Amino acid sequence: MDVISSPDDCIRRYEAALTSQDWEQVAPMIHEDCVAVFSSGTFVGKGEVEAAFRTTFELIRDETYTISELNWIERSESVAVAHYKFAWEGLINGEPASGGGRGTCVLKRSHGDWQILLEHLGP
């Protein structure tokens, strides 16, 4: 995979990777020490975050995930903080389902790539 050269690049790739429902595409955007706070719980470390995503990918089929109204609160050479709206739609048990809310993320530049260090999704 190419270098994730900026916070914007990281978020754009993350959005596309989530829609792919393929952990191997999501993984490069996730920092080893990532903390993810979702409605299903708090997940600490890349391994726990991976398990949470894989569970979601199994539950929601044919998912489309979008990020909008991205607002960078802080950006430096090594850290960026943003809040945004997110939305998803797909199939759960063959039935149409959707949801969304607000998200906050902290990105960290690590070994030249930008990665998500913290993601918190809520209503």
Side-chain angles (χ1 to χ4, degrees), residues 38-111:
F38 302 144
S39 60
S40 57
T42 299
F43 306 92
V44 179
K46 194 169 187 173
E48 286 189 15
V49 173
E50 175 183 359
F53 276 112
R54 287 187 184 275
T55 297
T56 299
F57 294 159
E58 286 296 316
L59 175 67
I60 305 169
R61 297 299 187 164
D62 299 324
E63 182 181 15
T64 301
Y65 187 89
T66 57
I67 293 173
S68 62
E69 298 183 29
L70 181 64
N71 181 32
W72 295 104
I73 300 165
E74 181 66 38
R75 289 174 75 139
S76 72
E77 291 297 314
S78 60
V79 175
V81 179
H83 67 88
Y84 48 89
K85 286 186 177 179
F86 72 92
W88 64 270
E89 58 182 45
L91 301 173
I92 297 178
N93 297 322
E95 296 294 323
S98 61
R102 301 291 303 172
T104 302
C105 67
V106 176
L107 282 70
K108 180 178 179 179
R109 192 175 206 168
S110 180
H111 307 293

Side-chain angles (χ1 to χ4, degrees), residues 3-68:
V3 171
I4 304 168
S5 60
S6 70
D8 292 295
D9 185 33
C10 184
I11 294 296
R12 180 186 55 78
R13 290 185 192 198
Y14 183 60
E15 179 182 43
L18 289 177
T19 294
S20 79
Q21 294 189 294
D22 177 3
W23 171 254
E24 299 309 315
Q25 291 187 43
V26 176
M29 273 71 68
I30 305 299
H31 192 278
E32 287 297 323
D33 299 323
C34 182
V35 174
V37 181
F38 302 144
S39 60
S40 57
T42 299
F43 306 92
V44 179
K46 194 169 187 173
E48 286 189 15
V49 173
E50 175 183 359
F53 276 112
R54 287 187 184 275
T55 297
T56 299
F57 294 159
E58 286 296 316
L59 175 67
I60 305 169
R61 297 299 187 164
D62 299 324
E63 182 181 15
T64 301
Y65 187 89
T66 57
I67 293 173
S68 62

